[in-house]
Amino acid sequence: YKTHYKDIFELQACIAAKVMDRFSVREVADQRVVTPNLEAYAHYIRGIEMVLKTNRPDERMKAVPEFQKSISLDSSFIGPWAGIVHQYCYYYFNRGSGSSLSLEMITPYMNYIEDHFPDTWERKLVQGTYVYWALRDYDKGLVLFLEVLKEAPKDAGTHSMVAAIYRRKLDLGKAFYHASIALKLYPAAPVFWNEMVPLLDLNGDYENATKAASTQYQLNENLFSNLYRMHSIQRTLEQLPEHVKMKKGNVYLSDSFLEKRDLSGLLTFLDSIRPDSSFTLGHKIYYQAMAQHLLKQDKEARQSAARAVRAEGLGLFEKAGMFALLGNEKGFVELAYDHPGANLSQDLAAQFSDQSALIRFYALSRNYAKADEMLKQVNRNFPQAGGYGWLNSSDFDRIKNEYPPFMETISQLKQPPRIMDAQLIKM
């Protein structure tokens, strides 16, 4: 594109118009650029690219230095100020009050925006971000975000956060509406696909949840956790891309034995390998305990579980399972209910997840009547949720075989509403 220009952003608009005309694009996100400093804008864009690429808090925090450089070049540019608040709040939301980031570190940026950008929708967006992610007030955050969308209806990030709040409230229809808008505006942003996956999963639409997770993985190969989980709950691990299998290594191979219910093969495999940094001694003992439990070697399973909870390198989910085998409900609750600062009275999705974890505890600890009662209760309390894929895991094999009423309860689970639009996944 050759032309003489005085304003780089005017040139950008001209190029965009020609591209839209050439490819018959009729809708794009609004890009409000409010800095004449090209270098400041470049640092801001680098930061935004980092944010849109991943949902990992530590990776997203790498955008903060870019936003700070942008501010040092043009402090009158609101974008990077808002970007810093956004990432600090996101980090706090995921890491909790025990992290190295405190709310006091966010305050100076909030104050600056309040003082210097009082009449902008971005200020309201920052307020909404703070009360949602930092204070965990979903209701107030939702009100502020919806006000932002009246002024900035094509702000994809706001649509995605509105979708997340509606998902947490299990208002799946509204959640899908806003998540789809975010993806139509930015279909190549992995972070927006990351919101779509748990939404489809909660709805019980595993086919499209897997497609969404696959799209996220194709856009960023480091983001394969969603894809792995969706294949795991459908017992289709063999269909995973080879790159993901290799990354998961011995965890994938162990899960594959469990998926096939080849428990003797799993124990033989575990005896043949040595722990390393990606498959620790804790992992090895965890899988041994699960295999022994399913083989009804209960004494050996409890012994292994007691060793596993003391081992290094085991995740919270696995350790919670070991406490379940030991019948230690207190230890299980301390691990499985680890939602740092979460306001569970507003977060129905977290309540659903916590109660499903408790069903797992009762199933593994062989309190079958209690597990059955809890499953019925979850079905009554969350009729709009269809995400029961966790019942496919091997954790529930013994209760299914040994307590027939549990299978009857499973057959009576309410079916998901199937509101999701499969056409979206074809974008």
Side-chain angles (χ1 to χ4, degrees), residues 309 314-325 328 331-333 335-336 360-361 364:
V309 296
L314 201 62
L316 295 180
F317 177 82
E318 290 86 0
K319 279 195 175 182
M322 298 299 94
F323 280 121
L325 293 186
N328 184 342
F332 173 85
V333 169
L335 289 169
R360 177 178 185 253
F361 170 83
L364 286 176

Side-chain angles (χ1 to χ4, degrees), residues 53-125:
K53 189 176 182 179
T54 182
N55 62 305
R56 295 177 179 176
D58 295 313
E59 289 296 310
R60 286 174 60 143
M61 283 292 284
K62 294 177 181 179
V64 171
E66 293 293 340
F67 293 142
Q68 290 171 333
K69 290 175 184 176
S70 180
I71 289 172
S72 69
L73 294 164
D74 183 1
S75 62
S76 67
F77 182 17
I78 188 174
W81 288 100
I84 291 175
V85 173
H86 193 90
Q87 297 324 305
Y88 278 177
C89 290
Y90 183 79
Y91 190 87
Y92 188 85
F93 181 83
N94 286 277
R95 294 290 183 259
S97 57
S99 72
S100 57
L101 181 65
S102 67
L103 294 183
E104 287 72 21
M105 295 172 65
I106 306 174
T107 303
Y109 296 96
M110 294 286 295
N111 291 341
Y112 191 92
I113 292 172
E114 288 287 334
D115 293 340
H116 293 81
F117 309 101
D119 300 319
T120 61
W121 61 263
E122 290 94 340
R123 178 186 67 86
K124 198 171 292 182
L125 174 57

Side-chain angles (χ1 to χ4, degrees), residues 221-415:
E221 287 194 348
N222 292 320
L223 303 181
F224 52 76
S225 295
N226 278 330
L227 185 60
Y228 191 87
R229 180 178 181 278
M230 293 315 305
H231 279 287
S232 178
I233 65 177
Q234 296 173 93
R235 298 174 63 173
T236 56
L237 289 174
E238 182 60 34
Q239 297 177 16
L240 284 166
E242 292 302 318
H243 170 259
V244 176
K245 296 177 184 178
M246 182 183 67
K247 282 287 187 180
K248 296 294 288 189
N250 287 329
V251 169
Y252 161 73
L253 294 173
S254 300
D255 285 338
S256 295
F257 279 110
L258 281 179
E259 181 180 284
K260 298 169 185 173
R261 305 309 192 249
D262 182 0
L263 305 175
S264 298
L266 173 58
L267 289 173
T268 301
F269 168 71
L270 293 171
D271 286 339
S272 70
I273 61 174
R274 290 185 177 182
D276 56 31
S277 58
S278 61
F279 191 81
T280 65
L281 179 61
H283 286 108
K284 184 173 181 175
I285 302 172
Y286 165 79
Y287 284 106
Q288 284 176 336
M290 291 303 300
Q292 290 163 345
H293 167 73
L294 294 170
L295 288 168
K296 301 184 181 180
Q297 301 170 2
D298 292 332
K299 180 180 178 181
E300 293 84 349
R302 285 193 293 271
Q303 290 174 343
S304 296
R307 292 174 58 210
V309 296
R310 297 191 298 268
E312 296 292 330
L314 201 62
L316 295 180
F317 177 82
E318 290 86 0
K319 279 195 175 182
M322 298 299 94
F323 280 121
L325 293 186
L326 294 170
N328 184 342
E329 188 167 351
K330 180 181 178 182
F332 173 85
V333 169
E334 288 177 353
L335 289 169
Y337 287 16
D338 185 28
H339 297 286
N343 185 347
L344 290 183
S345 66
Q346 296 183 20
D347 197 336
L348 296 181
Q351 291 182 40
F352 177 79
S353 176
D354 280 352
Q355 292 193 30
S356 67
L358 199 54
I359 296 170
R360 177 178 185 253
F361 170 83
Y362 289 125
L364 286 176
S365 59
R366 299 183 302 286
N367 189 342
Y368 295 159
K370 186 66 175 178
D372 184 59
E373 176 189 329
M374 285 239 22
L375 184 57
K376 291 176 180 175
Q377 178 180 322
V378 168
N379 192 34
R380 288 193 301 268
N381 292 349
F382 306 100
Q384 67 274 56
Y388 290 93
W390 38 274
L391 289 169
N392 288 332
S393 73
S394 59
D395 301 1
F396 296 94
D397 281 4
R398 279 189 65 171
I399 186 173
K400 290 175 181 176
N401 292 328
E402 298 175 5
Y403 193 77
F406 193 73
M407 289 302 294
E408 177 65 22
T409 300
I410 290 178
S411 70
Q412 294 174 3
L413 292 175
K414 293 182 175 65
Q415 294 301 306

Side-chain angles (χ1 to χ4, degrees), residues 41-61:
Y41 182 64
H43 284 295
Y44 171 69
I45 289 299
R46 289 192 195 107
I48 291 297
E49 287 176 347
M50 292 177 182
V51 169
L52 294 178
K53 189 176 182 179
T54 182
N55 62 305
R56 295 177 179 176
D58 295 313
E59 289 296 310
R60 286 174 60 143
M61 283 292 284

